[in-house]
Amino acid sequence: MEQDDRSFPQRVSGDVTKPNPTTELTQRAAGPNFFREGENVQFMHAESILSHNLTNNVLRLKFITETYSFSEINFEVSFITQHIFRVKFAGQTATLDALTDDPDFPPSEARMLDVVPLNTKVDFNEADGREATFEAFTLDPKEGIFGLGERFDGVERRGLPVDFVNHDAIGTSNTRSYINVPFFWSTNGYGCFVHSVARTEWDMGLSEAGTFCTEEKFMGYFIMEGQTPKDILKQYTNDLIGTSPLPPIWTFGLWISRNSHQTWDVVDGILEKAEQHKLPVDVIHLDTAWFKEDWNPALLFGDRFPEPDKKMAALKEQGIRTSLWQYNSPPTREDNVLNIEALAADYLGHETLPDGSRGPNLFSYPPSTTGWKTTLPSHLSGASAIKTDFGDCIPANAHYLNIAGRRFNNLYSLVYNAAVHRGAKSVDVDTAQWARSGTAGSQRYPVHWGGDSQCSWSALQGSLRANLSIGMSGFAYFSHDIGGFIGKPSPELYVRWAQLAMFSSHARSHGAGDENGREPWYFGDKAVEIFKGFTNIRYRLLPYTIEQATVGAKLGLPLVRALILEYPKDCNVWNIEGQYHFGSDLLLAPVLQPAEDASKQAVYMPAGTWFDFWDKKEFVSRGEWIEVDAAPLERMPLWVKSGAMLCWTKERMRTFNNVGTIEKVEIYGESEGDWTCGDGQGGRVDVVKSVDGQWSCKGRQEVVINVFR
């Protein structure tokens, strides 16, 4: 499928050698590393301590620097908790107080800036006069580094380059990312969060050591210590940045989407066909075409979707929620309600043209993020979800209220999604979000998805890598487009992608094109049966999924977990990118290549006792690689950990925002103690073990209990 700039209005050129029209520097030189590689650059290195004092758990040092002239560096270390300390340092020309708007960090609510910092009045559009601050640290020979957000090119980051500017990645098999997070953790038991919104660059052992730098006159970061990766993620999310709240249960059902459904008749036809095939569905998404005019997000339904409130209410009665697309850069026109509000409130940005003159206005969101609070309630009262598309790149030479576009780029995604989140919640607390862009703190506004993937096996592999890496960066929930977005998948690729999606936190089918559907009936009868089978498993295992999501999110843990999170002492799992845990008890090895390429599949089985999900056969592992026959199309390799209990609900077509009525309990291996599981109706199922080792359900004779040993 041929794509050009008209298909992606915010597309960023892939030509990294193209000069910047303002600075005439290459994109690489325009970043902080310019200071490390450029000529006529003066470095300031600490030489000796000039003074020090300790007050209220804050250590302050003043260094003399080794430069052409006498200078000083102010250095401060403060303890946030027993396991977290904060480092700040700056040269003579900057003060440590300028590091952040929150000197009493961390406050009880917003623990990362999600509004424009009002005291920031800097402009880094010109190369001359810019300053950057660097920090370096030693990497042990066997040390692994994880995190840094959504990474399509690799999960373990040591020795890999990092493009840390939010982009429209246009694919899921490159170094770009929609979600860059300035946080990483090490297998040596520490994590690091760089608390900066400036342009940031990273070198994780690509050269001599680990380094990071920010394009500002000061540096601020937090170091946290933990015995395990789970300890570090808990401290990062709970004590610093914030956790992911549990989205409404209906969001864990199947989402159906394409770009774009053109009328209500098309929507009705899809839902009727899903009913005929007995395919469960919870959400129908309307993409760019729901507006009165395409790509003019004026929050007004067009004639193609008459009586929208009435229709959305009728769908909701049937258990179908409606999701609506939103674009962060509506045109500055008099017929756009957001633009009218922006003009009145004077929070439009503008771009600086090459000749230095002021360019056209650019839409922005106000620091107070009041815009969505006032516009959403009156226009979107019937919708249950907002898809916040784009928000991942703004012009570097743009000027916004009190902040330059160059500095605002990654932070913009947080401001944008926070604004929509608050506006939507003011309409209905049971609403949700489907976001593409983000940075540190964005996990507080779930759910995020992996953007515009190609319809290819490499894009499927990249989507799983992104899911694993963002889960190790504090995000509990993440999704991807079943089958890929750009192009059309083969039936085999579509089915394999669907199997991965049904064991991801959220599942959505989505493709580019009005007639380029991603419903299973476009891929043959066999695809329909397999897709429906895995969707039913997803719905029936909602008690497990919701329990794992609830507990995990409080601890800063994702549903989709890289194996290192569960087995940090097993160095065999550090570089495994093709397997994962779904919660604590399910081990998956999705098929990520076509059947013609392999008759066998290598799978790493962590130490312990496992049961095949399909035939219940037991396997005892020492922590070893095994080779299994390539899975038939209707199966995905999947095992259950010994000691697990899976609660199954009855089959149903909708969640109706509850996990469902439990009809069966499966107990694997030797389980100790009693179990309790919510039944979705305000009650619970209590599974107890008698003294003679027999299991039963208190007061629920109809619940079947199967034990596998």
Side-chain angles (χ1 to χ4, degrees):
M1 180 177 177
E2 191 69 25
Q3 299 293 332
D4 57 25
D5 288 350
R6 291 171 296 177
S7 305
F8 296 92
Q10 290 193 347
R11 180 170 181 167
V12 179
S13 172
D15 182 5
V16 297
T17 64
K18 184 178 179 180
N20 182 293
T22 302
T23 65
E24 297 184 354
L25 295 170
T26 64
Q27 288 188 11
R28 179 166 175 78
N33 272 321
F34 163 74
F35 300 95
R36 183 162 53 188
E37 301 170 357
E39 298 179 357
N40 301 319
V41 174
Q42 178 176 319
F43 288 89
M44 294 169 54
H45 299 286
E47 186 178 51
S48 59
I49 297 176
L50 182 64
S51 64
H52 66 89
N53 68 76
L54 177 63
T55 307
N56 296 327
N57 289 326
V58 178
L59 174 64
R60 294 180 176 87
L61 302 170
K62 192 179 292 289
F63 291 93
I64 299 175
T65 63
E66 185 183 65
T67 60
Y68 297 112
S69 60
F70 177 81
S71 186
E72 297 176 3
I73 294 177
N74 297 304
F75 188 91
E76 181 178 298
V77 179
S78 55
F79 290 89
I80 306 301
T81 71
Q82 183 179 357
H83 300 283
I84 301 175
F85 65 89
R86 184 182 195 178
V87 175
K88 298 192 290 185
F89 59 87
Q92 277 182 309
T93 59
T95 65
L96 294 180
D97 291 338
L99 271 168
T100 176
D101 283 10
D102 51 353
D104 298 324
F105 190 94
S108 58
E109 295 297 333
R111 291 169 183 168
M112 175 66 177
L113 297 172
D114 56 10
V115 298
V116 180
L118 296 178
N119 67 349
T120 305
K121 298 182 182 297
V122 293
D123 189 349
F124 290 123
N125 288 327
E126 299 296 333
D128 294 337
R130 289 193 286 125
E131 296 184 51
T133 309
F134 291 77
E135 181 64 291
F137 55 100
T138 301
L139 288 171
D140 287 348
K142 295 183 179 180
E143 184 175 356
I145 300 294
F146 298 87
L148 296 178
E150 171 196 66
R151 312 258 54 110
F152 299 114
D153 60 332
V155 178
E156 205 276 296
R157 299 311 305 171
R158 183 163 180 159
L160 294 178
V162 181
D163 183 343
F164 216 71
V165 178
N166 283 8
H167 289 293
D168 184 343
I170 315 176
T172 58
S173 53
N174 57 62
T175 59
R176 288 180 168 184
S177 175
Y178 304 97
I179 306 172
N180 286 286
V181 179
F183 163 76
F184 70 89
W185 55 267
S186 163
T187 54
N188 279 11
Y190 68 90
C192 176
F193 168 51
V194 178
H195 194 220
S196 172
V197 302
R199 187 69 63 94
T200 308
E201 289 182 0
W202 305 76
D203 181 344
M204 293 303 183
L206 192 60
S207 51
E208 293 186 9
T211 65
F212 51 87
C213 55
T214 61
E215 193 174 273
E216 51 196 350
K217 300 177 182 181
F218 36 73
M219 174 71 74
Y221 58 89
F222 295 83
I223 297 295
M224 56 224 72
E225 173 271 335
Q227 295 295 313
T228 68
K230 290 182 178 180
D231 293 337
I232 297 170
L233 284 172
K234 181 180 179 182
Q235 291 160 24
Y236 169 65
T237 55
N238 282 259
D239 296 330
L240 293 181
I241 208 71
T243 59
S244 299
L246 182 71
I249 292 175
W250 60 262
T251 68
F252 291 87
L254 177 63
W255 297 52
I256 286 184
S257 173
R258 75 177 68 157
N259 181 15
S260 184
H261 301 122
Q262 293 292 318
T263 65
W264 284 130
D265 288 341
V266 173
V267 170
D268 290 340
I270 291 171
L271 294 177
E272 287 172 8
K273 203 146 192 176
E275 197 74 26
Q276 292 170 11
H277 289 290
K278 298 190 183 323
L279 176 67
V281 177
D282 261 71
V283 186
I284 191 78
H285 172 71
L286 304 182
D287 217 66
T288 61
W290 74 272
F291 298 123
K292 187 175 182 180
E293 178 185 357
D294 283 3
W295 291 91
N296 179 15
L299 302 181
L300 297 172
F301 276 90
D303 295 337
R304 293 169 291 184
F305 295 91
E307 300 183 298
D309 289 345
K310 181 179 178 181
K311 180 65 175 181
M312 288 188 288
L315 288 173
K316 191 173 181 180
E317 282 291 317
Q318 302 169 34
I320 300 290
R321 305 286 182 137
T322 305
S323 168
L324 299 177
W325 182 83
Q326 182 55 40
Y327 183 33
N328 67 293
S329 294
T332 52
R333 291 170 25 174
E334 293 182 359
D335 62 348
N336 187 288
V337 64
L338 294 176
N339 179 58
I340 293 171
E341 183 185 83
L343 286 170
D346 192 27
Y347 57 77
L348 284 172
H350 69 276
E351 192 169 0
T352 301
L353 300 179
D355 62 3
S357 62
R358 178 180 174 123
N361 286 337
L362 297 168
F363 189 80
S364 178
Y365 288 89
S368 62
T369 64
T370 57
W372 278 98
K373 284 188 176 181
T374 57
T375 55
L376 275 174
S378 58
H379 293 281
L380 304 180
S381 57
S384 295
I386 303 295
K387 174 185 172 182
T388 46
D389 210 349
F390 294 98
D392 34 47
C393 54
I394 61 176
N397 62 339
H399 298 263
Y400 294 87
L401 181 63
N402 294 327
I403 192 168
R406 180 181 186 82
R407 183 179 177 86
F408 197 21
N409 189 81
N410 289 12
L411 177 62
Y412 183 95
S413 64
L414 182 59
V415 176
Y416 169 38
N417 285 292
V420 176
H421 173 87
R422 289 169 180 156
K425 292 296 184 183
S426 71
V427 180
D428 182 357
V429 295
D430 197 29
T431 57
Q433 203 158 323
W434 196 267
R436 188 172 89 169
S437 60
T439 187
S442 294
Q443 71 271 12
R444 299 196 302 265
Y445 314 112
V447 175
H448 290 76
W449 101 99
D452 298 339
S453 53
Q454 322 93 285
C455 298
S456 68
W457 292 95
S458 63
L460 171 60
Q461 296 158 17
S463 295
L464 177 54
R465 285 193 289 265
N467 209 334
L468 298 176
S469 61
I470 202 168
M472 291 190 283
S473 305
F475 286 65
Y477 312 109
F478 189 75
S479 187
H480 34 86
D481 293 341
I482 295 175
F485 176 75
I486 304 171
K488 186 169 184 177
S490 67
E492 183 186 11
L493 174 61
Y494 176 80
V495 167
R496 292 306 190 190
W497 207 313
Q499 291 168 343
L500 173 66
M502 295 309 166
F503 284 92
S504 297
S505 80
H506 289 76
R508 182 183 75 155
S509 62
H510 183 61
D514 302 345
E515 304 299 326
N516 192 13
R518 288 293 184 272
E519 296 77 49
W521 44 86
Y522 286 97
F523 303 93
D525 293 341
K526 188 172 185 179
V528 170
E529 289 306 307
I530 297 172
F531 190 100
K532 183 175 68 173
F534 273 82
T535 306
N536 276 325
I537 291 173
R538 178 178 181 83
Y539 273 66
R540 296 189 67 197
L541 283 180
L542 271 179
Y544 171 81
T545 302
I546 299 303
E547 178 188 27
Q548 293 287 323
T550 302
V551 175
K554 291 178 181 178
L555 301 175
L557 294 177
L559 265 171
V560 172
R561 301 176 189 174
L563 298 189
I564 190 172
L565 290 179
E566 295 295 322
Y567 313 101
K569 294 183 179 180
D570 185 350
C571 60
N572 292 300
V573 307
W574 288 12
N575 293 291
I576 293 179
E577 300 179 335
Q579 294 178 224
Y580 65 96
H581 256 256
F582 187 66
S584 60
D585 296 328
L586 297 180
L587 173 67
L588 296 95
V591 178
L592 303 174
Q593 60 184 352
E596 64 183 14
D597 288 356
S599 61
K600 298 284 186 178
Q601 182 176 354
V603 177
Y604 185 77
M605 300 298 295
T609 301
W610 300 90
F611 293 84
D612 188 289
F613 180 83
W614 306 104
D615 61 21
K616 313 305 180 186
K617 290 182 179 179
E618 183 183 36
F619 179 81
V620 179
S621 174
R622 300 166 299 170
E624 59 194 294
W625 286 94
I626 63 172
E627 195 174 63
V628 299
D629 291 334
L633 190 59
E634 63 272 13
R635 294 282 179 90
M636 174 175 62
L638 171 59
W639 291 266
V640 185
K641 181 187 284 188
S642 178
M645 182 184 78
L646 298 182
C647 293
W648 295 73
T649 69
K650 297 178 180 178
E651 287 191 8
R652 54 195 174 137
M653 296 291 288
R654 313 279 183 264
T655 67
F656 285 102
N657 207 29
N658 64 69
V659 299
T661 302
I662 295 171
E663 69 171 5
K664 180 176 68 173
V665 175
E666 293 182 340
I667 299 171
Y668 292 83
E670 296 300 326
S671 297
E672 299 297 331
D674 299 339
W675 295 80
T676 298
C677 187
D679 67 358
Q681 311 298 326
R684 66 184 192 179
V685 172
D686 294 310
V687 183
V688 297
K689 191 176 186 180
S690 64
V691 292
D692 60 355
Q694 299 299 310
W695 292 94
S696 63
C697 252
K698 278 187 178 179
R700 295 286 298 273
Q701 299 295 329
E702 75 280 7
V703 176
V704 176
I705 298 179
N706 294 323
V707 180
F708 303 101
R709 293 191 177 95

